[in-house]
Amino acid sequence: MTMNLYDRIPNNVDLSEDKRLQRALEKWLPNYLDWWHDMGPDGFQDKDVWLRTAVDVGSEGWAHFDYVKMPDYRWGIFLEPAQPRAKVGFGDNYGAPAYQEVPGEFRNSLRRIIVTQGDTEPASVEQQRQLGHTCPSLYDMRNLFQVNVEEGRHLWAMVYLLQAYFGRDGRDEADALLERRSGNPDKPRILEAFNQPCDDWLNFYAFTMFTDRDGKYQLSALAESGFEPLARTCKFMLTEEAHHMFVGDTGLSRVVRRTAQLMKQSPNEDVRASGGIPLEIIQRYINFWFSYSLDLFGGEISSNSADFFAAGLKGRFKEQEQYTDHIAAEGSFTMQVVENGKLVPREVPLRNALNEVLRGEYVRDCEKGLARWNKALADEGVSERLFLPNIRFHRHVGEYAGHDFDPEGNLITREEFEQRKVGWLPSVEDREYVRSLMHPVTELGKIANWIAPPASGIKGKPFEFEYVRL
Ligand SMILES: [Fe+2]
Ligand SMILES: [Fe+2]
């Protein structure tokens, strides 16, 4: 596997050896660049941004830092090196040689999975495209653009799989990925979290904390796949994804810390007077993005998840490290479902509950973020705490969709939900208030009043570094 960095499309998949694929991708490239110009970050395309670019998949080379203008970013196709004698790691074909081609009977569902994952990547760039205009600091602006260019590269990763392994329909799907638009009523993005507005920085941090973290769990499950090209693609995407979640987790932590500081400074802990974001608004943004992100895992009880596991295509989180029984044909899983207007336990075969098992892993990971933010509150001497709402709250997919729950997970009536939701979810006034604080701060070393500075800069540079040359 050689690294071809100076090809028109940088790659480590020997693209020049496969003329048909190379032609298809080179035909897609100008359409991608048109999309980036139309829908990528607005207003900063000609600025030098201190960005990380993947130039190798090894531990050193994948993070090369330099000033780059975003349209010149070297988006490429990079897969983790192949494992010799790779095997299917779970399901009915456990131990068989890994698939190098798409298994025929799963072609359509596997294509759907790749398209759905692929669709989220450009969608998030579209959702975030105006945020550069209101950045709280140059450091944050740079992180936003880093996330954006890498989501663009993740789109390349999925388009590579579609074009290399799914023939003509793969090419059509690759084109359609550039045609849908986040939030557009006529041609929306596939998943609802990716049609929600992400037009202020509190939204951005909550999105990268909760929604990018869903990506981590989906990619981790696919990184276990017995379809080796998919596994190798997802493994490399995960190295980049860690930074996106860092941006969200530390971003929210910094907002929370600043709010706590402002609370202590004002006599009645009213942070609005001093231009901070009240904790209850932060809580409502958490409730909103956490619940939408839970939907991304799919239905609690799912025959698709069972089929995919049986086929060795989508595994569990850390399948090899965490489990000894990779067949999972025997066990069961008990979850709460709504029956005749009541919550009752239901036992389902484990393989049918794998969406819920993955969602549980995700929730535990999110809780660690909450613990860090609550520690920031405690450090600053504030007694209030933030929390994750119950997994049943505000769901639009799966067993709990169509029912109403309070943030503690109690089943309530639609009327009660409607009456109380202003306390639970961001209201128009909340969003307007947050937007009213969003004024750009772009002087070196300066930061907006509503957020604390980061503990350190990027890659050994100080916070005062000129991350974007305006
Ligand atoms: Fe991504
Ligand atoms: Fe991401």
Side-chain angles (χ1 to χ4, degrees):
M1 192 176 69
T2 45
M3 204 65 191
N4 299 303
L5 279 181
Y6 301 101
D7 285 13
R8 232 177 125 203
I9 300 166
N11 71 91
N12 70 349
V13 294
D14 290 333
L15 197 53
S16 57
E17 305 289 297
D18 185 342
K19 291 295 174 207
R20 188 196 59 80
L21 177 60
Q22 187 179 33
R23 263 200 307 277
L25 286 166
E26 286 185 355
K27 204 169 147 220
W28 191 80
L29 172 65
N31 298 338
Y32 170 82
L33 289 173
D34 285 348
W35 167 81
W36 179 268
H37 276 287
D38 292 348
M39 298 311 297
D42 182 54
F44 299 90
Q45 301 278 351
D46 60 345
K47 304 298 180 210
D48 284 316
V49 188
W50 201 64
L51 290 176
R52 160 177 101 175
T53 304
V55 294
D56 191 7
V57 292
S59 57
E60 286 298 302
W62 73 275
H64 174 81
F65 284 80
D66 208 345
Y67 282 107
V68 183
K69 291 181 178 47
M70 285 183 278
D72 302 333
Y73 191 78
R74 300 290 285 154
W75 288 287
I77 299 164
F78 304 115
L79 273 59
E80 285 281 289
Q83 299 291 328
R85 294 179 297 281
K87 300 256 195 301
V88 177
F90 55 89
D92 294 344
N93 298 328
Y94 177 58
Y99 319 127
Q100 298 305 327
E101 291 297 329
V102 180
E105 69 270 43
F106 292 104
R107 196 171 181 280
N108 286 344
S109 31
L110 198 53
R111 188 185 65 212
R112 188 76 196 153
I113 283 188
I114 294 170
V115 166
T116 306
Q117 176 64 42
D119 195 63
T120 67
E121 317 286 359
S124 66
V125 175
E126 293 165 1
Q127 283 167 295
Q128 297 162 14
R129 73 182 295 255
Q130 298 297 343
L131 289 172
H133 295 298
T134 54
C135 67
S137 73
L138 280 185
Y139 163 94
D140 289 282
M141 183 191 252
R142 177 260 166 218
N143 285 346
L144 166 71
F145 295 156
Q146 182 72 61
V147 170
N148 293 158
V149 293
E150 286 175 351
E151 301 304 7
R153 208 199 61 73
H154 293 174
L155 173 60
W156 273 96
M158 294 295 116
V159 162
Y160 161 74
L161 291 174
L162 288 169
Q163 301 227 8
Y165 295 95
F166 294 87
R168 164 123 213 193
D169 359 333
R171 289 196 292 282
D172 291 345
E173 294 284 12
D175 292 340
L177 283 166
L178 296 177
E179 286 157 12
R180 287 184 287 272
R181 290 286 181 270
S182 175
N184 184 309
D186 300 324
K187 40 177 190 174
R189 292 295 175 181
I190 296 169
L191 298 167
E192 272 319 297
F194 294 87
N195 287 310
Q196 304 301 319
C198 187
D199 49 5
D200 66 57
W201 281 76
L202 188 57
N203 274 324
F204 174 64
Y205 297 131
F207 182 95
T208 40
M209 169 71 195
F210 293 113
T211 309
D212 280 81
R213 194 172 305 273
D214 156 74
K216 167 184 166 183
Y217 282 84
Q218 299 304 329
L219 292 175
S220 298
L222 296 174
E224 301 286 339
S225 184
F227 176 44
E228 222 210 349
L230 176 62
R232 290 168 53 203
T233 303
C234 292
K235 280 180 191 152
F236 186 63
M237 290 163 75
L238 280 165
T239 57
E240 292 170 331
E241 207 58 55
H243 175 68
H244 308 179
M245 290 176 289
F246 164 86
V247 168
D249 188 350
T250 57
L252 271 167
S253 192
R254 291 159 51 209
V255 176
V256 169
R257 183 174 294 280
R258 183 63 182 152
T259 294
Q261 290 165 352
L262 293 170
M263 283 168 78
K264 295 318 279 179
Q265 285 168 23
S266 45
N268 50 1
E269 301 205 332
D270 175 18
V271 301
R272 281 175 193 256
S274 47
I277 304 179
L279 281 182
E280 64 266 21
I281 293 187
I282 299 174
Q283 181 65 58
R284 290 195 277 273
Y285 273 62
I286 292 171
N287 295 350
F288 180 89
W289 286 107
F290 179 67
S291 57
Y292 266 113
S293 302
L294 290 175
D295 282 340
L296 299 172
F297 289 81
E300 280 69 16
I301 304 171
S302 162
S303 58
N304 275 344
S305 82
D307 292 346
F308 265 65
F309 188 85
L313 292 174
K314 187 176 178 187
R316 287 169 291 186
F317 182 63
K318 297 193 174 163
E319 177 72 41
Q320 300 310 318
E321 285 166 52
Q322 280 205 102
Y323 298 93
T324 48
D325 168 20
H326 298 297
I327 312 292
E330 313 272 274
S332 64
F333 187 96
T334 304
M335 61 180 83
Q336 300 289 314
V337 299
V338 182
E339 246 175 49
N340 303 320
K342 273 219 241 10
L343 270 175
V344 294
R346 184 184 297 165
E347 190 173 310
V348 296
L350 181 55
R351 283 185 178 185
N352 292 74
L354 291 179
N355 288 345
E356 185 63 6
V357 171
L358 192 61
R359 188 163 20 232
E361 297 275 6
Y362 166 83
V363 172
R364 281 189 286 283
D365 198 11
C366 291
E367 279 166 353
K368 292 181 199 157
L370 268 291
R372 283 187 287 271
W373 310 338
N374 283 331
K375 182 168 179 306
L377 289 174
D379 286 350
E380 301 294 334
V382 165
S383 58
E384 281 97 327
R385 295 293 176 262
L386 296 162
F387 59 90
L388 290 177
N390 185 275
I391 54 168
R392 296 188 283 275
F393 173 74
H394 190 236
R395 292 287 303 280
H396 299 83
V397 170
E399 288 296 309
Y400 310 120
H403 302 284
D404 292 285
F405 296 89
D406 67 15
E408 284 75 47
N410 303 305
L411 193 56
I412 56 173
T413 63
R414 168 56 44 97
E415 293 70 47
E416 187 179 355
F417 184 86
E418 289 299 323
Q419 271 164 24
R420 299 183 64 191
K421 74 175 181 196
V422 282
W424 296 336
L425 293 166
S427 63
V428 175
E429 291 75 37
D430 289 344
R431 292 178 184 281
E432 280 173 0
Y433 175 71
V434 173
R435 267 204 303 275
S436 77
L437 301 178
M438 301 284 136
H439 302 293
V441 177
T442 55
E443 289 155 72
L444 287 195
K446 292 278 163 52
I447 186 129
N449 177 52
W450 52 269
I451 185 170
S456 53
I458 293 291
K459 187 72 180 172
K461 300 284 185 209
F463 173 65
E464 300 75 30
F465 182 68
E466 191 173 19
Y467 291 103
V468 185
R469 290 179 178 150
L470 292 175

